[in-house]
DNA sequence: GCGACAG
DNA sequence: ATCTTGTCGC
């Protein structure tokens, strides 16, 4: 599937974006996928959706898509409107096979996608500056696979990478624009809130 | 052989 | 991802 990832471009028109996040419910053996639909550029929540799938695959670093992608795509399909872009909680091409969760979902759903991970899977980097918007390249095998981005001053950096049909520069700019107030971009933050409000 | 390892 | 308790800081 990695040959189907498009690593350039940006959404032609941006009216609605979505955040996708998953939540594991161990006692039920389920994964819940949450989708939060927001207006752009005002980032107001306009709709949210939840979907669950049975979980039969263990967590293995590098194989996260096999656990989460089905539930995320199901939640995305529940939205009454198809977003112009999705922010996915996980890596895009910053992955050993260049096919992390965000790229997997982007290709399968054929939608522009950005990977926004809270921590590193692979790659080396120098710490970015402390100011908002500071970034440093994430490198693996001599290749730039993403950006380590300080989305807010002084916070732990995010790991931004190309998901599908978005260039890295555009992805970084979009994440900054989507995170005016918190460390996580608003779409991912609201999807995360929605998914854990449910399990607990 | 050992450490590292999205969620 | 999940669990639990305290603690620090804005």
């Amino acid at each position: 599937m990695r040959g189907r990832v498009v690593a350039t471009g940006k959404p032609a028109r941006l009216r609605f974006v979505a955040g996708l996040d998953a939540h594991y419910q161990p006692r039920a053996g389920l994964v819940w996928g949450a989708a939060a639909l927001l207006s752009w550029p005002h980032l107001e929540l306009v709709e949210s959706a939840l979907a669950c799938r049975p979980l039969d695959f263990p967590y293995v670093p590098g194989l996260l898509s096999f656990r989460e992608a089905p539930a995320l795509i199901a939640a995305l399909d529940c939205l009454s409107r198809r977003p112009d872009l999705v922010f996915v909680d996980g890596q895009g091409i910053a992955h050993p096979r260049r096919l992390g969760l965000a790229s997997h979902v982007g290709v399968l759903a054929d939608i522009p996608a950005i990977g926004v991970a809270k921590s590193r899977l692979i790659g080396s980097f120098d710490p970015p500056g402390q100011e908002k918007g500071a970034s440093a390249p994430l490198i693996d095998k001599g290749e730039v696979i993403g950006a380590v981005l300080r989305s807010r001053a002084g916070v732990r950096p995010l790991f931004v990478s190309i998901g599908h049909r978005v260039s890295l520069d555009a992805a970084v700019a979009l994440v900054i624009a989507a995170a005016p107030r918190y460390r996580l971009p608003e779409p991912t933050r609201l999807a995360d809130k929605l998914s854990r409000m449910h399990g607990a």
Side-chain angles (χ1 to χ4, degrees), chain A residues 1-8 20 65 69-70 72-73 76-77 82 85-86 88 91-93 97-115 161-166:
Chain A
M1 270 178 69
R2 74 173 162 198
R4 295 167 57 187
V5 173
V6 175
T8 58
L20 301 179
S65 294
L72 295 185
I73 291 171
L76 178 61
D77 287 342
R82 194 173 159 75
L85 167 72
V86 294
V88 182
Q91 314 287 347
I93 65 170
R97 299 182 180 123
R98 304 296 183 261
L99 194 77
L101 179 63
S103 296
H104 196 114
V105 168
V107 167
L108 284 184
D110 190 29
I111 197 165
I114 297 174
S161 56
I162 290 169
H164 186 47
R165 291 163 51 183
V166 184

Side-chain angles (χ1 to χ4, degrees), chain A residues 31-80:
Chain A
V31 200
W32 287 87
L37 186 70
L38 289 75
S39 62
W40 188 276
H42 298 299
L43 303 172
E44 282 158 354
L45 181 68
V46 299
E47 188 183 345
S48 52
L50 285 165
C52 70
R53 287 293 178 269
L55 185 58
D56 47 14
F57 201 90
Y59 172 69
V60 179
L63 304 183
L64 182 63
S65 294
F66 293 104
R67 303 190 104 205
E68 300 201 345
L72 295 185
I73 291 171
L76 178 61
D77 287 342
C78 286
L79 295 173
S80 60

Side-chain angles (χ1 to χ4, degrees), chain A residues 76-163:
Chain A
L76 178 61
D77 287 342
C78 286
L79 295 173
S80 60
R81 203 187 266 279
R82 194 173 159 75
D84 304 303
L85 167 72
V86 294
F87 294 80
V88 182
D89 183 31
Q91 314 287 347
I93 65 170
H95 176 276
R97 299 182 180 123
R98 304 296 183 261
L99 194 77
L101 179 63
S103 296
H104 196 114
V105 168
V107 167
L108 284 184
D110 190 29
I111 197 165
I114 297 174
V116 184
K118 297 180 290 297
S119 63
R120 184 198 73 110
L121 175 59
I122 59 163
S124 57
F125 62 96
D126 295 321
Q130 292 295 316
E131 71 278 14
K132 172 172 180 164
S135 75
L138 181 64
I139 309 285
D140 178 55
K141 297 175 177 166
E143 187 182 344
V144 175
I145 58 171
V148 185
L149 175 67
R150 196 85 65 184
S151 56
R152 304 282 303 157
V155 301
R156 264 193 313 143
L158 297 177
F159 295 78
V160 178
S161 56
I162 290 169

